[in-house]
Amino acid sequence: MKKISFLFLSFIFSNALALSPYIGTYELYADTKMGNLKIGTATLNLDVIEDQFTFTTEAKTESLWKALYDYSRSEKSTGNEVDGQVINKYFSVIEKIKDEVKKNYEINIATDKNYAISSTGEEWEIKPGLLVDPLSVYLALSNDMLNNPDQNEFTYQVVDQDGVKYLEFRVDGNEMIEINGSEIETLRVACNELELTLNLSAKDNFQPVKIHKVNGKTEFTMILIEFQG
């Protein structure tokens, strides 16, 4: 089984004026030869103090599935919100499969100086404008969708261990999603490069209630089961 990239776990609660603290729990499902099975959980935590945010994810497979696939990933993103824009400063990730560390790096971002530097020693020059990491890109997306409701495409410079690349998110229509027995009106947003589809709650600051990601031959779906905000 290919590794599960939890880039798509990095999600958001904000409004047009300020980011809002949030703790959410998701269940992770995978399409397998045995059917669609719940294999793990993830906790997302957005902490906000004045204009400073700390956004973290913790994801892991459940003990029942560890013999088949023992996976865990932790991410952290920090920065500020200035005039409705997310200004990212720092990103880190630790990813393990069984006891082997697959990823362990940090990135410091200096938006005002147009560069980002990794703990691996690599440094990248960035173009003027907003630069975000794989977590804060979703904070930026949420703010932009709130502030520009008629816009259908959003593009961001995103930095990770491989460097800086542009990712485009496209609004793909409306869809009703059933969560815990309740129907929720959502906007479906797709990022083709990531093979990622998000269902964001239209009434709750584009809260992600369903996340679908294709990794190689395997499809993963995340469903929001608990929210505190």
Side-chain angles (χ1 to χ4, degrees):
M1 182 184 292
K2 291 181 178 294
K3 65 180 182 293
I4 304 170
S5 172
F6 278 90
L7 167 66
F8 64 97
L9 299 183
S10 37
F11 295 100
I12 43 178
F13 279 82
S14 64
N15 57 43
L17 297 178
L19 299 175
S20 300
Y22 156 76
I23 300 175
T25 302
Y26 292 75
E27 291 181 335
L28 174 64
Y29 294 83
D31 285 335
T32 71
K33 293 181 179 179
M34 295 179 287
N36 187 262
L37 303 175
K38 184 170 79 73
I39 63 169
T41 59
T43 300
L44 318 179
N45 189 340
L46 177 60
D47 187 35
V48 181
I49 300 177
E50 295 182 348
D51 66 343
Q52 299 183 4
F53 71 84
T54 300
F55 194 33
T56 60
T57 70
E58 296 284 344
K60 61 182 179 179
T61 49
E62 296 178 340
S63 57
L64 177 65
W65 298 101
K66 286 186 181 295
L68 176 64
Y69 191 68
D70 187 355
Y71 179 92
S72 66
R73 182 177 173 108
S74 301
E75 297 175 316
K76 180 178 181 180
S77 177
T78 66
N80 299 81
E81 183 187 29
V82 179
D83 296 329
Q85 275 200 329
V86 172
I87 308 299
N88 194 205
K89 292 184 176 181
Y90 171 86
F91 173 70
S92 67
V93 59
I94 299 175
E95 180 182 84
K96 296 181 180 180
I97 297 179
K98 293 185 178 180
D99 295 325
E100 183 179 357
V101 176
K102 294 295 185 178
K103 292 184 179 181
N104 184 5
Y105 67 90
E106 302 175 335
I107 294 177
N108 287 285
I109 300 171
T111 303
D112 56 337
K113 297 179 180 178
N114 294 328
Y115 79 87
I117 186 168
S118 172
S119 57
T120 60
E122 295 180 273
E123 184 172 336
W124 302 284
E125 184 176 355
I126 61 176
K127 294 183 178 180
L130 187 65
L131 177 74
V132 292
D133 65 39
L135 279 179
S136 60
V137 64
Y138 297 104
L139 298 175
L141 175 64
S142 176
N143 272 356
D144 284 348
M145 290 182 66
L146 285 162
N147 294 327
N148 304 282
D150 296 327
Q151 188 171 330
N152 291 322
E153 294 183 357
F154 304 90
T155 302
Y156 305 97
Q157 292 184 89
V158 182
V159 63
D160 62 12
Q161 66 174 354
D162 298 320
V164 180
K165 57 186 173 182
Y166 283 90
L167 294 179
E168 180 181 276
F169 294 80
R170 176 175 48 84
V171 179
D172 196 33
N174 299 325
E175 185 176 1
M176 298 299 294
I177 298 293
E178 184 174 329
I179 303 292
N180 295 329
S182 300
E183 285 196 338
I184 300 175
E185 181 184 358
T186 71
L187 280 178
R188 190 171 58 251
V189 179
C191 180
N192 291 336
E193 183 172 352
L194 298 177
E195 296 187 275
L196 167 69
T197 303
L198 315 172
N199 284 90
L200 308 179
S201 175
K203 294 183 179 180
D204 296 305
N205 296 339
F206 300 107
Q207 165 190 342
V209 296
K210 181 179 179 181
I211 304 153
H212 182 261
K213 179 76 170 67
V214 178
N215 275 19
K217 296 181 180 180
T218 307
E219 297 185 17
F220 299 96
T221 303
M222 292 188 61
I223 302 293
L224 179 68
I225 58 171
E226 185 177 356
F227 162 69
Q228 299 175 21

